[in-house]
Amino acid sequence: MTKSQEDRALDAGERELVAQSRDLDGLSQTQLTDLQKRLRARRDRVQRMIRTRTRNADTAAPDTGARQKKALLVEAVQRVTAEVEARRATARKSPRDKATRNLSEAVQRKAENPRWRGPERRDANTGPAETPNHKIAPSGALHAEGMRAAISRSTGDR
């Protein structure tokens, strides 16, 4: 369709929407979905108008102006929808791609951070040796020495 036919078929607002659908690089995702909604609303309005005219018409006369307008709006909706789907597809990568990206980032972080400069041997400086205290009751030993001490402090034998 030539430019003059497009200008005749569309009004000013629709011409602006169709022109925006041809240059989608500068639009964000929210602007794209907003443009998609507005184009679909215009297309649906024209489609309802065509159906109403054909239903009310006594003779089957072709409504070429409205059909051209609908065709232009359908093409614009298809362009915007294709761009929205392409952006969504790039946003949701496969788990394999995500795992590969995470691994490469981890390798890069490891290369950037210096290695640990601790002792050379793992058994070096293990800390003080523990000296066990056998004079106290073991923890939770209620039926052993701990119970006897608790009973003797209480009111008496049970």
Side-chain angles (χ1 to χ4, degrees):
M1 200 176 285
T2 63
K3 184 71 172 164
S4 62
Q5 289 175 333
E6 285 183 14
D7 289 342
R8 271 186 269 140
L10 302 173
D11 64 3
E14 291 166 346
R15 256 185 258 124
E16 180 184 337
L17 292 175
V18 170
Q20 282 181 350
S21 74
R22 289 191 177 115
D23 185 34
L24 300 173
D25 294 333
L27 299 178
S28 68
Q29 187 69 20
T30 56
Q31 291 172 333
L32 268 178
T33 54
D34 183 49
L35 177 64
Q36 187 180 29
K37 287 177 187 176
R38 292 189 324 203
L39 281 169
R40 284 180 177 168
R42 293 287 180 121
R43 179 203 59 194
D44 294 343
R45 185 178 65 87
V46 171
Q47 194 169 6
R48 282 191 306 270
M49 181 180 66
I50 291 171
R51 286 183 187 151
T52 305
R53 283 182 183 174
T54 54
R55 191 179 317 122
N56 293 339
D58 295 332
T59 61
D63 193 2
T64 56
R67 291 188 191 280
Q68 288 175 353
K69 178 186 283 199
K70 180 185 168 193
L72 291 170
L73 292 173
V74 165
E75 289 174 4
V77 168
Q78 288 173 348
R79 279 192 297 268
V80 173
T81 303
E83 180 68 22
V84 167
E85 290 301 320
R87 288 188 186 185
R88 283 184 184 158
T90 57
R92 59 171 186 256
K93 296 278 185 172
S94 70
R96 183 181 61 197
D97 295 339
K98 187 175 181 181
T100 304
R101 187 175 59 245
N102 288 343
L103 181 63
S104 64
E105 289 172 1
V107 168
Q108 182 181 3
R109 282 192 306 268
K110 186 172 183 179
E112 290 172 356
N113 293 330
R115 290 187 57 206
W116 181 65
R117 299 289 181 202
E120 303 257 337
R121 293 178 33 198
R122 291 195 179 263
D123 61 348
N125 192 15
T126 59
E130 291 189 25
T131 54
N133 187 354
H134 297 290
K135 295 179 183 175
I136 60 172
S139 176
L142 297 178
H143 295 293
E145 297 87 8
M147 185 68 174
R148 294 178 192 269
I151 291 173
S152 66
R153 281 194 306 268
S154 67
T155 58
D157 290 341
R158 292 189 178 167

